[in-house]
């Protein structure tokens, strides 16, 4: 029997790549539910292809329109709307695998619902761990969920771990397994060689044009500032049960080595491949087996020379803010994530300049650095407070 899959964030880049892999293996996977934000046309086309039992959109009016279109097309898919509906689909009794690919804080609650229902969760929503790492991992352990990383870097680290650690990497002792350090690679984004005095003139169009990866606008801007790597740093801290000093960020512009694990005997294990998210998605979908992903094999005779650099704090202040927040604790990372979502949206809307993303993040982090959170209610409250404070700063700047 094919495994029943729920794709949260089906209309985004990760969701589309997930469905591409699923389409190659109809004997192994069947789509139970698809959810999207506001891209009704994309979700309609996906429903027509995969014929899920359920579909969901953020807005009730959009959901009603999608329901009308699907009924007109002869589909029996039931369309629902709202945050509660997303959580219910993520925890549906028939769901076996949940792809958590909703971008930003909006993905936390449905992803946590899947965890509490004991599902196999393919985690592409890094904000779930950035906002609530300790609480999230505790829920995974308490409810017997299986957590598999989808971010190419974390999936690469996962693949380089000893098999015994892969089953519960979030509660393992890395040093006991002979691991000295996790090496988290990043491309450095599109402005790796742009003069710093030109950063004020960077446009949203330039920031979303990533040199290697095809991603959504928000994550592309995060890659340009290297906040994305900072969020991945925080995520790695929770996924692999390690400290801030156990993780090192390495700029690798070619994006062929997706990350590495350094062992105490001097060995370094690396996972390589063409930059295509279908590779980690296929790995997690089938784990511990391997299935085809339709990704072009890596041809070493065509691969450029590998280069590595240390991230420059002046060029990538957001990366170092994230590391600072990770050392400070859960409240700091929750506030920083909220501020960054507001800052990136403001930049994309041309309200602020590119360097002001880091400036806003720094002010919000400084304000909330010592904040403590003990449960989900306090996390969501702090997230809201940080967003209000961020918007106030934006208003003061205008």
């Amino acid at each position: 029997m094919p495994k029943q899959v729920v794709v949260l964030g089906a209309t985004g880049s990760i969701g589309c790549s997930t469905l591409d892999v699923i389409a190659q293996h109809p004997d192994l996977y069947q789509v139970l539910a698809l959810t999207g934000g506001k891209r009704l046309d994309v979700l309609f086309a996906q429903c027509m292809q995969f014929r899920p039992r359920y579909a969901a959109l953020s807005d009730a009016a959009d959901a009603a329109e999608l329901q009308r279109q699907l009924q007109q097309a002869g589909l029996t898919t039931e369309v629902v709307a709202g945050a509660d509906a997303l959580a219910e689909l993520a925890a549906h009794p028939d769901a076996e695998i949940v792809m958590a690919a909703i971008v930003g804080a909006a993905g936390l609650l449905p992803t946590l619902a899947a965890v509490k229902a004991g599902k196999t969760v393919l985690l592409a929503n890094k904000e779930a761990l950035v906002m609530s790492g300790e609480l999230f991992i505790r829920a995974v352990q308490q409810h017997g969920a299986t957590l598999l990383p989808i971010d190419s870097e974390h999936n690469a680290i996962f693949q380089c771990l000893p098999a015994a650690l892969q089953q519960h990497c979030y509660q393992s002792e890395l040093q006991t397994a002979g691991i000295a350090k996790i090496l988290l690679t990043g491309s450095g984004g599109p402005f790796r060689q742009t003069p710093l005095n030109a950063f004020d003139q960077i446009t949203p169009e330039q920031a979303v044009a990533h040199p290697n990866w095809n991603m959504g606008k928000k994550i592309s801007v995060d890659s340009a500032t290297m906040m994305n790597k900072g969020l991945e740093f925080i995520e790695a801290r929770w996924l692999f049960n390690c400290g801030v000093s156990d993780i090192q960020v390495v700029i690798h512009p070619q994006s062929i080595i997706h990350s590495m694990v350094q062992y105490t005997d001097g060995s370094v294990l690396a996972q390589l491949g063409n930059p295509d998210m279908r590779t980690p998605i296929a790995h997690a979908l089938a784990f511990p087996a391997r299935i085809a992903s339709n990704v072009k094999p890596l041809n070493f005779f065509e691969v450029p020379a590998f280069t590595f650099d240390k991230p420059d704090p002046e060029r990538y202040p957001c990366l170092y803010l994230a590391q600072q927040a990770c050392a400070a604790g859960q409240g700091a990372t929750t506030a920083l994530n909220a501020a960054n979502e507001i800052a990136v949206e403001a930049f994309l809307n041309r309200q602020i300049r590119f360097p002001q993303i880091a400036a806003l993040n720094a002010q919000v982090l400084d304000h909330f650095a010592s904040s403590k959170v003990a449960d989900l209610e306090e996390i969501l409250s702090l997230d809201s407070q940080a967003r209000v404070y961020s918007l106030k700063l934006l208003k003061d700047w205008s």
Side-chain angles (χ1 to χ4, degrees):
M1 288 285 291
K3 290 185 177 180
Q4 298 293 306
V5 183
V6 173
V7 183
L8 302 173
T11 59
S13 60
I14 297 293
C16 290
S17 293
T18 301
L19 292 175
D20 184 81
V21 175
I22 288 174
Q24 299 172 52
H25 303 280
D27 55 325
L28 298 178
Y29 309 103
Q30 185 174 11
V31 176
L32 174 69
L34 297 173
T35 84
K38 298 181 179 179
R39 301 178 66 186
L40 187 154
D41 55 335
V42 177
L43 194 58
F44 173 78
Q46 292 175 338
C47 288
M48 291 296 295
Q49 180 179 357
F50 293 96
R51 299 178 177 268
R53 201 187 312 172
Y54 304 99
L57 286 161
S58 302
D59 182 74
D62 287 344
E65 174 59 20
L66 178 61
Q67 185 75 81
R68 186 193 66 79
Q69 292 183 15
L70 292 175
Q71 287 177 344
Q72 192 173 39
L75 265 65
T76 59
T77 300
E78 179 183 345
V79 184
V80 294
D84 290 344
L86 293 183
E88 288 176 9
L89 290 179
H92 193 282
D94 293 341
E96 297 172 83
I97 299 173
V98 177
M99 168 57 77
I102 297 175
V103 176
L108 172 59
L109 293 180
T111 304
L112 198 54
V115 165
K116 290 181 177 179
K119 306 301 183 184
T120 294
V121 178
L122 313 189
L123 188 66
N125 172 267
K126 61 178 64 67
E127 290 82 4
L129 287 176
V130 171
M131 290 178 65
S132 64
E134 185 175 3
L135 179 148
F136 191 94
I137 295 301
R138 192 186 312 133
V140 170
Q141 295 169 333
Q142 289 177 347
H143 298 279
T146 299
L147 188 63
L148 298 171
I150 294 298
D151 271 345
S152 60
E153 295 81 2
H154 302 93
N155 183 268
I157 294 163
F158 183 88
Q159 292 194 50
C160 294
L161 293 177
L165 262 65
Q166 291 179 337
Q167 299 301 322
H168 303 288
C169 58
Y170 41 80
Q171 63 187 39
S172 300
E173 294 294 333
L174 297 187
Q175 291 182 345
T176 304
I179 294 172
K181 197 173 288 289
I182 286 172
L183 303 175
L184 189 66
T185 62
S187 70
F191 309 125
R192 185 172 54 87
Q193 296 179 316
T194 302
L196 294 178
N197 60 13
F199 271 32
D200 262 349
Q201 283 72 54
I202 289 172
T203 67
E205 290 77 14
Q206 292 171 320
V208 301
H210 194 280
N212 300 334
W213 295 92
N214 180 21
M215 305 181 293
K217 289 183 178 180
K218 195 268 181 183
I219 193 173
S220 295
V221 175
D222 281 349
S223 180
T225 65
M226 278 197 84
M227 176 58 86
N228 191 49
K229 203 55 51 183
L231 299 179
E232 289 173 1
F233 186 99
I234 299 166
E235 185 181 6
R237 177 259 178 276
W238 292 109
L239 272 174
F240 306 112
N241 191 32
C242 56
V244 172
S245 62
D246 297 324
I247 311 168
Q248 181 178 353
V249 175
V250 179
I251 292 182
H252 169 53
Q254 294 79 25
S255 294
I256 300 296
I257 298 175
H258 299 305
S259 273
M260 299 170 278
V261 174
Q262 184 173 352
Y263 286 80
T264 52
D265 64 2
S267 301
V268 177
L269 300 188
Q271 188 267 338
L272 289 73
N274 282 313
D276 191 315
M277 288 305 300
R278 290 175 297 178
T279 296
I281 290 167
H283 172 265
L285 272 172
F287 182 80
R290 298 274 181 170
I291 58 173
S293 64
N294 205 28
V295 174
K296 182 181 177 182
L298 189 62
N299 185 335
F300 282 92
F301 301 112
E302 297 177 354
V303 171
F306 292 161
T307 59
F308 306 94
D309 292 297
K310 185 177 181 180
D312 177 7
E314 288 190 69
R315 185 173 297 275
Y316 304 114
C318 283
L319 169 63
Y320 291 89
L321 287 173
Q323 292 174 329
Q324 178 186 335
C326 189
Q330 188 66 79
T333 60
T334 299
L336 180 63
N337 178 73
N340 186 63
E341 289 191 15
I342 297 295
V344 171
E345 184 178 7
F347 169 69
L348 289 170
N349 291 334
R350 305 179 196 276
Q351 294 174 257
I352 61 173
R353 299 185 305 279
F354 186 76
Q356 288 181 296
I357 296 174
L360 181 71
N361 288 336
Q363 286 198 41
V364 175
L365 178 59
D366 183 62
H367 186 78
F368 291 99
S370 60
S371 299
K372 304 298 181 185
V373 288
D375 54 32
L376 183 59
E377 184 178 348
E378 291 183 0
I379 288 169
L380 296 176
S381 175
L382 179 58
D383 175 78
S384 178
Q385 293 173 50
R387 290 172 191 275
V388 170
Y389 187 72
S390 300
L391 291 170
K392 179 182 180 298
L393 290 177
L394 286 177
K395 188 176 180 181
D396 292 343
W397 289 0
S398 61

